[in-house]
């Protein structure tokens, strides 16, 4: 699939801006290089005109809208350079659009279909966003949080370390060394076959019982803090465990859950809005339409 022009342009300019040394290398000896563009001042009024193309104004609001386009996202580019890039892009956009208008591109049936489709899509997106804002209120978020935490049952958690080896004999020798006073974390770093924890001295952090395979979890949750296990076999090999701490899993705070709650309320509000609109609408499918999976296609 061909790459859209806007993507190719943005990518090329991003590379140029990211490699200022390349531009300096091309400058003739003794020639002054242009100074970096000054950053655009913050809080510019939306109606501020930043450029004109054949008399048609480009405003700060136009730049802000273009800046929301994922194709113009330029990670690592400073804000001043990005603003200048957006101005250049909008100038090209206006030049091209004016040429297309003169060529009557907008009069073709295909263009009109595309325009109608994207107009409907933008209308729906903005409408759903507006409806979601009504639903995502502090009161609704707090109510959902309270409802959610009521259904959360207290869970025991264990903080443990382990050493994974291939044989039971090796595990017995390691358990004996640790019970004899050697440092668990040091031995884990030396011999454990678990790449995910050996660099952390075998530390697995906090976990609930269902997060671990049954033989491992059964052993860990029966142990007391400071206790070192006998070898435990799982499908991964042989383990030697040491329980560091135990606790009842704390209920997450409202602040910890707020982002998830807001996302849920937003999705639910948008879904409910579409369902209500469909229920209220008169929808007629033509005989040539593909019926939904499982639908009864027999005529009455």
């Amino acid at each position: 699939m061909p790459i859209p022009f806007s993507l190719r342009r943005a990518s090329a300019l991003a590379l140029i801006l990211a490699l200022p040394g390349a531009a300096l290398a091309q400058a003739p000896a003794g020639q002054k290089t242009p100074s970096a563009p000054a950053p655009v001042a913050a809080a510019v009024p939306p109606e501020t005109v930043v450029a004109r193309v054949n008399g048609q104004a480009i405003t700060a609001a136009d730049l802000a809208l273009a800046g929301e386009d994922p194709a113009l996202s330029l990670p690592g580019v400073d804000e001043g350079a990005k603003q200048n890039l957006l101005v250049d892009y909008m100038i090209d956009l206006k030049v091209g659009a004016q040429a297309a208008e003169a060529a009557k591109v907008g009069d073709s049936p295909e263009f009109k279909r595309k325009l109608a489709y994207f107009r409907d899509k933008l209308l729906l997106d903005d409408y759903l966003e507006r409806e979601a804002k009504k639903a995502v209120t502090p009161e609704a978020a707090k109510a959902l949080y309270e409802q959610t935490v009521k259904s959360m049952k207290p869970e025991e958690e264990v903080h443990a370390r382990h050493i994974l080896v291939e044989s039971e004999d090796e595990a017995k020798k390691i358990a004996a060394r640790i019970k004899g006073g050697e440092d668990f974390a040091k031995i884990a770093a030396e011999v454990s076959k678990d790449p995910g924890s050996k660099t952390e001295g075998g530390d697995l952090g906090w976990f609930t019982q269902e997060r671990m395979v049954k033989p491992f979890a059964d052993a860990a949750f029966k142990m007391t803090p400071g206790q070192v296990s006998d070898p435990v076999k799982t499908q991964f090999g042989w383990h030697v465990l040491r329980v560091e701490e135990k606790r009842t899993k704390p209920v997450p705070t409202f602040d910890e859950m707020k982002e998830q709650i807001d996302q849920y309320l937003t999705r639910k509000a948008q879904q409910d809005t579409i369902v209500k609109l469909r229920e209220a609408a008169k929808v007629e499918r033509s005989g040539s339409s593909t019926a939904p999976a499982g639908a009864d296609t027999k005529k009455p």
Side-chain angles (χ1 to χ4, degrees), residues 152-164:
M152 289 183 175
K153 296 179 181 178
E155 285 186 285
E156 188 179 15
E157 282 189 313
V158 165
H159 175 201
R161 295 177 185 269
H162 87 132
I163 297 170
L164 175 66

Side-chain angles (χ1 to χ4, degrees), residues 55-112:
Q56 189 174 4
I58 298 171
T59 66
D62 295 327
L63 294 189
L65 187 60
E68 296 173 5
D69 186 345
L72 298 176
S73 174
L74 295 173
V77 177
D78 69 80
E79 192 59 30
K82 184 174 181 179
Q83 289 297 312
N84 279 281
L85 169 61
L86 290 175
V87 173
D88 287 340
Y89 172 79
M90 287 301 299
I91 289 171
D92 291 349
L93 187 66
K94 291 295 183 186
V95 168
Q98 289 171 4
E101 287 281 6
K104 306 294 184 184
V105 171
D107 294 343
S108 71
E110 181 63 23
F111 180 85
K112 289 177 180 178

Side-chain angles (χ1 to χ4, degrees), residues 21-43:
L24 290 172
Q26 300 300 319
Q31 180 178 324
K32 292 184 178 179
T33 57
S35 58
V40 175

